Amino acid sequence: MPLEGKGLSYRYAQDGPWLLRRREITVRRGEVVGLQGPSGCGKTTLGRILAGYLQPHEGTVTLAGKAVRAARGYHPIQMVFQHPEQAVNPKWTMRSTIQEGWQADQPTMHRLGINEAWLDRVPAELSGGELQRCCIARALGPETAYLIADEMTAMLDAVTQAQIWHAMLELAQERSLGLLVISHDENLLKRICSRIEPM
Ligand SMILES: Nc1ncnc2c1ncn2[C@@H]1O[C@H](COP(=O)(O)OP(=O)(O)OP(=O)(O)O)[C@@H](O)[C@H]1O
């Protein structure tokens, strides 16, 4: 059930330069693949295309051979971003935020180190790391097959980063999730990925 991008081309301005040109990428379930390249080369853009947020001008994204579009309902390819505060409704409690994805179970919440007391708070009442843990929980519904982690722990301290990746990799292995890890941190990619795709 691979996630495949074939012949992907994309540019933001209609007559502007191509950011992606006939790009190929495949991630399989159970794989942890790194995506590395200089700032501005199009990593986030490729991630957004794979997750169905952007439509490529050319090429296809398929999951198990079927076209992936901006699906209604729960999307099997989830994306977690660098800045969790931009990915949540500031007025919603964490309970509502996580429930936007699914009814997260206790073991998953525990693995991610989510404290019960945080659930009644709004985003401004949590630290960046606490908020990111909740965003990751939201993305891990039972129908998630792939997770695209876009600089997911870049703004966190080393201890929090290590805790989150430890939990993430365990959960991914148990559920046979495919992970695409976008990061500037070469050491992180070398440590957790089975292969690294250059841009
Ligand atoms: N909505 C947009 N409209 C116009 N240009 C955009 C838009 N989003 C991104 N770009 C441009 O596209 C290029 C690629 O951006 P993208 O965020 O994909 O790169 P990146 O490799 O993820 O960079 P970084 O490592 O700095 O996060 C950049 O030059 C950026 O300015």
Side-chain angles (χ1 to χ4, degrees):
M1 195 177 164
L3 171 62
E4 289 183 294
K6 284 192 177 158
L8 298 175
S9 298
Y10 194 85
R11 57 184 170 187
Y12 282 98
Q14 211 169 23
D15 297 319
W18 291 100
L19 192 54
L20 302 172
R21 200 67 176 131
R22 300 189 194 97
R23 171 74 203 212
E24 308 281 315
I25 186 163
T26 300
V27 184
R28 291 176 189 79
R29 290 199 68 161
E31 254 191 331
V32 182
V33 178
L35 189 60
Q36 192 179 28
S39 179
C41 70
K43 301 181 296 297
T44 295
T45 303
L46 180 56
R48 292 175 77 90
I49 291 172
L50 293 173
Y53 288 105
L54 289 175
Q55 290 304 308
H57 298 299
E58 296 171 1
T60 55
V61 178
T62 56
L63 179 58
K66 290 191 186 140
V68 171
R69 296 200 186 86
R72 282 188 206 161
Y74 198 89
H75 203 288
I77 306 159
Q78 291 283 313
M79 198 160 176
V80 177
F81 298 95
Q82 179 174 359
H83 300 289
E85 65 283 359
Q86 294 173 12
V88 293
N89 185 324
K91 294 182 180 167
W92 287 8
T93 63
M94 294 332 298
R95 193 183 311 282
S96 306
T97 302
I98 296 171
Q99 278 176 6
E100 193 186 6
W102 63 304
Q103 199 73 39
D105 57 46
Q106 208 46 46
T108 304
M109 303 279 271
H110 181 71
R111 294 282 272 290
L112 288 168
I114 294 173
N115 188 322
E116 184 74 27
W118 304 345
L119 299 180
D120 294 317
R121 300 190 202 158
V122 294
E125 295 169 337
L126 293 177
S127 75
E130 291 165 354
L131 190 53
Q132 192 65 305
R133 289 170 196 261
C134 294
C135 287
I136 295 169
R138 178 178 60 177
L140 287 178
E143 292 165 61
T144 299
Y146 289 89
L147 187 95
I148 299 174
D150 188 358
E151 299 286 3
M152 183 171 84
T153 55
M155 80 307 186
L156 304 175
D157 65 79
V159 172
T160 309
Q161 209 176 79
Q163 286 172 350
I164 287 181
W165 278 112
H166 180 74
M168 189 68 246
L169 294 175
E170 271 188 3
L171 286 161
Q173 197 178 25
E174 280 168 24
R175 299 178 182 201
S176 259
L177 296 180
L179 294 185
L180 182 65
V181 183
I182 299 175
S183 178
H184 289 107
D185 185 344
E186 197 172 349
N187 288 330
L188 173 73
L189 293 181
K190 282 185 179 158
R191 209 163 55 239
I192 68 172
C193 299
S194 45
R195 67 187 160 88
I196 299 176
E197 290 266 339
M199 276 301 290

